[in-house]
Amino acid sequence: MKNVLAVDIGSSSVKAGRISLQGSVLSSVRVRLDAAQPFPLCWFSAMQQAFSAALSGANGSGGTLPPPDCLVISGAGPTLVAADASGRVTASLMWDDPVPEISVPAGSRSSIFLPRLLAMQKLFPEETAHAARLFSGPEFAVFSLCGTAVSVLPDSRWQSAYWDDGMLVCAGFRGDLLPPFSAPGFLAGRFTGDPALPYAPLFSGILPDGIPVRAGPPDFAAALLGTGTVSPGRACDRAGSSEGLNVCTAQAEAAAGLRSLPSPVPGLWNLSYLLPETGKAFSRFRAASPVFRSLSYPEILRRIFDTPVIPPPGQEENPARAAAEQICRKVKQGVQALQSAVGFLPAFVLSGGQAKNPLWNQMKADITGAEFLLTQTADAELLGGAIIAFCADGEFSSYGEACAAMVKIKTRFSPDPARAALYAEKFAHS
């Protein structure tokens, strides 16, 4: 059975999964990063565990899985890693690390990378000055396994959001630090555990010797593919610590509070509404609550659903319900903004950690009035990585063809009319 080992490197965990040509998730695992280890070295220990689990060889029926045809790596960005001539880490800046305010040249303000590059230079002047290469996070993992330095550009239209020679010269940043651009799915090399690479031997005896290593895109681009958000009108809700509502459009759209960026599919666009904190906000509530901090997220959501939407007179509201409703109301604002911009209410394919809780998904549907859909996996980044790898291998002629074959809806969360009416009544008085 043809299958891909897809890996996604996040800011709190590493996810890995075996994905078949039919889009089936043959095995999957999530390994939390060790907070006691510095970035990005904590990635490697988590990757060791994730690879070992995903490559254990057992399928759901107790049989044996064939080895993967390739490894594809995606991850969060713009995360930056400085490496010396030997390939060892000298400094890193995570995508969500706070940075000083940076002024960029007027012609470069569309770049999401340049402010981080300049912040890296300011925070780590010696390390940056003496670095041999400066990588984005997942590309450093690719380099560490096979020794090829690349920067993955999701689509040529994305270059203004990354960098070009003119931007770098105007900003006074060394362009020779940055690896050349490549397309998603670029075959970077094969893993051999080369001892000349400082971190590759960590994976000897874990990864199959000679497995092809492909460079995947940033995690958001992989998630768009893994949710099938690749034709006009298709939409997704990518929700974890932060959240992004996305709709694929035929042309760039301009609307207040929304951002239109190129789609991974040439010629199409992605209209997005960003919520910097949804999962983080609920995590803070949980950590601060003496009652809820010891409960799992499924237990908290069950307690929420066991309480009435509108408390009886004299009864205080469940504080966890109030916190969850506040988040869902912000999601509703995003849904309404996108609906107003595109002229219809899309159904959102779910992705990310929040998508794994059916009660949370149902509450979103009840409060927003939109339908939310779940594929065979909430880890759309892994499915998207597999789609990219199979397309690069020539199994599909386009991302659209691959998504049609591999992205399959398993569960629908539609608004419950009775609960939706209660929420409307409740929010009308608040």
Side-chain angles (χ1 to χ4, degrees), residues 24 55 115 229 293 376 390 418:
S24 298
L55 294 169
T229 310
R293 67 171 62 131
Q376 297 178 84
F390 284 131

Side-chain angles (χ1 to χ4, degrees), residues 272-331:
S272 63
Y273 182 93
L274 302 178
L275 298 106
E277 295 190 344
T278 52
K280 276 185 181 179
F282 199 74
S283 294
R284 284 198 301 268
F285 160 79
R286 177 177 177 240
S289 170
V291 174
F292 295 104
R293 67 171 62 131
S294 62
L295 300 180
S296 68
Y297 286 105
E299 289 173 322
I300 297 173
L301 266 294
R302 172 46 60 194
R303 289 199 179 191
I304 290 173
F305 262 72
D306 287 343
T307 61
V309 173
I310 300 177
Q315 179 178 316
E316 291 188 3
E317 181 166 52
N318 180 341
R321 172 178 280 283
E325 287 179 0
Q326 184 179 21
I327 292 169
C328 288
R329 292 179 74 177
K330 291 179 179 178
V331 175

Side-chain angles (χ1 to χ4, degrees), residues 4 13 16 56 66 73 104 124 127 148 174 176 190 194 199 218 224 254 260 278 348 361 364 366 393-394 422-423:
V4 164
S13 66
S56 62
I73 301 175
V104 299
F124 304 102
E127 293 86 346
T148 301
R174 284 176 52 201
D176 64 303
R190 293 178 180 271
D194 185 354
Y199 306 111
L224 292 176
S260 187
T278 52
F348 294 87
N361 299 336
K364 278 187 182 179
D366 294 339
D393 276 343
L422 286 173
Y423 283 121

